[in-house]
Amino acid sequence: MTHSFRNIFDAAERLGEVELSNPLDVLRRVWGYPEFRGMQADVVKSVISGRDTLVLFPTGKGKSLCYQLPALCLKGTAVVVSPLVALMRDQVEELKGFGVAAGALWSEQPPDEASEVKRQLRSGQLKLIYVTPERLAAGGFETMVGGGGISLFAIDEAHCISFWGNNFRKDYLSLGRLKEMYPDIPLVALTATADAHTRKDIVRLLNLSDAAVFIDSFDRKNISYEIVPRSNPRSQLLDFLRPHDGESGIVYCLSRKKVEETVEWLNDNGIRAKHYHAKLDPAVKAANQDAFRMEEGLCLVATVAFGMGINKPNVRYVAHLDLPSSVESYYQETGRAGRDGLPAQAFMVFGMQDIVQRLRMIDEGEANDQIKRIERAKLNALVGICETTACRRQSILGHFGEVHPGGCGSCDTCTKPIETWDGTEAAIKALAAIYRTGERFGVGHVIDVLTGKVTEKTKRFGHVDLAVFGAGKEFNASAWQSIYRQLLTLNLIRVEHDEFGAMKLQETAAGVFKKERQVNLRRDRSVSRGTGKTTDVAGASSRSGLSPDDREVFEVLRQERLAISRELGIAPYVVFPDTTLVAFATRRPQVLEEMLEISGVGQTKLARYGERFLRALQTAVR
Ligand code: ADP
Ligand code: ZN
């Protein structure tokens, strides 16, 4: 062991005893990150100075560090409120991985585990204690924290306090009292929820009117976006998943039935997939969630029940087989990809049926008329993004009030610009077919009529004798699907779900018949090519930037990481994130000191795993 390495090792063991005062120094020594990211440095300064602070960063910008690092610099123990036990345990495991003393307490914790954590807390060993809001409300906390007292309060996922969002938690409301009870202890609230209404709620309900507010851009540059018209969703999904072989990702479906069917189908097609939905047996649910965390290359097919608890940084893709309810949901769900900053993909198939289904859900829902109107408007905004011919990133960010110049280069409309065409003639035929069949039929049947398909139904209703029968043979069925979908978003037609999806003309359609109005349509790729093949959006995987040689080394390192993770029973990313392995593979450090220069290698991890990865590197490059 070299002399300098000995020093490093000693330092790691002393961590927590020494006075840690310079934030950048702490960042480098504990986390091994060379620099703060974005606004982190300013937030950390604000919290350390004792100010209440509100942090609004998108997922993946590094919110956790904004309270974890001050916790190490301040005297005492930081109390972190988090909504989910799974999330708390993840964070504690990650912190321990960096050599930081942390623990978690919640109401239904096994008693011996809880008393051990309380013992450590009382003796002042812990720099951070994670608690659920109900455990905090149960009280007695200040007496449990050892001599150093409480250094700060951090409220993670602070949007849970707002009734407005979809993650409202009643127990969060009791957190409003913290500021009255502990006026002198700094409180930092953090969320990735962008909308103004939720922000206002957080400030009001947590009494944060004097807080310093930090809002970072919500652009997730490393995520590429692709939304394709639904033709054959299963093979479209398969085409999308193939290049992600060996990587982890999430596929969202609306119903639990579809989740189960999709998993079965993916497994039959050689893609390792597991399922997750609210009605699943709790043991299976926990096992599948755990598998997603611990394993690599697993596709988790889920309903939106799988969400907030996902801390995994190397989710490489999020695919939607059904339309989410709003742009907010879409952004939150896709945002679970690429927390580690490496390239990640968001992919969605979208069809007319999605809109009909969502509208039906709204109409059949229990909400009052005013809320239903809001829900319809939210759905429309998302459909607008699906149908846009402009840069998708620009449209999405615009929805959140952020100006983006467009031309992002990593969304499908940028990489393969959408053509538009004068679809007035086609629209007239499409509208006429609805009218002539009596505004009583769904899109499938009306398209059969237009394309001249003789079926039991077209015969029974005498539609084979209409002038419109076969009048639209110049396009195939999927092209007509696209046209009807656009007529719906252009508000020229509507769909009655209580009449089994019958299409009806809106009054505005008259202007099209009279040719007073031109109808510009986007030329969907499935229209021009006659296939539903997905397009490649640049930056498919974390390995994509690597040369074949480096990629081989990366795979060896990944195996080593997996072996360590199994031995220690911790998630692979807790050993080292992919970004660190990529740097090992490209820079190939030969001694421990060189490893320390790589982002993600702090002193504790160097001491624990450095030698093993050096050896793995030596075997890999031999
Ligand atoms: P958020 O809570 O905002 O979604 P996290 O706190 O989970 O983000 O951080 C996302 C990832 O970025 C984590 O893997 C974290 O370790 C890493 N990270 C955070 N800050 C930095 C930094 N300054 N340099 C490098 N990586 C960072
Ligand atoms: Zn773009």
Side-chain angles (χ1 to χ4, degrees), residues 40 43 91 156 161 234 309 356 384 439 446 474 566 587:
Q40 274 177 339
V43 176
Q91 298 251 359
D156 205 4
I161 203 168
R234 287 182 163 183
V356 175
E439 300 183 89
V446 178
E474 69 273 34
R566 297 232 162 106
R587 291 168 56 181

Side-chain angles (χ1 to χ4, degrees), residues 545-599:
L546 295 178
S547 71
D549 216 30
D550 290 347
R551 190 177 292 204
E552 244 171 68
V553 176
F554 176 76
E555 287 306 326
V556 173
L557 297 174
R558 210 147 77 130
Q559 287 308 318
E560 184 65 22
R561 178 174 68 176
L562 196 61
I564 296 175
S565 118
R566 297 232 162 106
E567 283 163 33
L568 302 180
I570 56 177
Y573 65 80
V574 173
V575 179
F576 279 127
D578 287 2
T579 41
T580 304
L581 294 198
V582 166
F584 283 169
T586 49
R587 291 168 56 181
R588 307 200 183 166
Q590 296 190 344
V591 290
L592 290 165
E593 285 82 349
E594 287 172 8
M595 273 192 156
L596 255 194
E597 285 160 19
I598 286 171
S599 178

Side-chain angles (χ1 to χ4, degrees), residues 227 230 233 237 251-259 261-262 301-304 318-326 329-330 333-334 347-351 353-355 357-358 361 379 382 386:
I227 303 176
R230 182 196 306 281
L237 179 66
V251 174
Y252 279 116
C253 301
L254 196 54
S255 71
R256 120 186 176 223
K257 182 159 162 272
K258 189 154 168 188
V259 164
E261 288 169 358
T262 307
V301 185
T303 60
V304 288
V318 170
H320 281 91
L321 286 187
D322 294 297
L323 192 68
S325 59
S326 63
S329 306
Y330 173 72
E333 285 151 28
T334 55
F347 173 79
M348 177 154 77
V349 294
F350 161 71
Q353 213 36 49
D354 286 295
I355 308 173
Q357 192 172 29
R358 277 288 172 191
M361 285 169 71
L379 177 65
L382 180 58
C386 294

Side-chain angles (χ1 to χ4, degrees), residues 122-148:
R122 218 168 276 128
S123 71
Q125 286 173 43
L126 300 183
K127 292 309 292 177
L128 296 105
I129 181 77
Y130 283 76
V131 288
T132 52
E134 47 280 15
R135 182 65 194 81
L136 187 65
F141 232 80
E142 51 283 40
T143 58
M144 275 161 52
V145 175

Side-chain angles (χ1 to χ4, degrees), residues 390-394 406-414:
C391 168
R392 294 215 198 267
R393 190 178 308 276
Q394 180 184 40
C408 77
S410 62
C411 74
D412 56 340
T413 49
C414 278

Side-chain angles (χ1 to χ4, degrees), residues 46 50 58 62 74 93 104 118 131 137 227 231 246 254 286 293 300 371 393 414 433 445 471 474 478 546 561 596:
S46 165
L74 295 169
E93 186 182 292
K118 282 184 205 159
V131 288
I227 303 176
S231 53
L254 196 54
R293 217 169 69 84
L300 201 86
I371 298 209
R393 190 178 308 276
C414 278
H445 177 75
E474 69 273 34
S478 88
L546 295 178
R561 178 174 68 176
L596 255 194

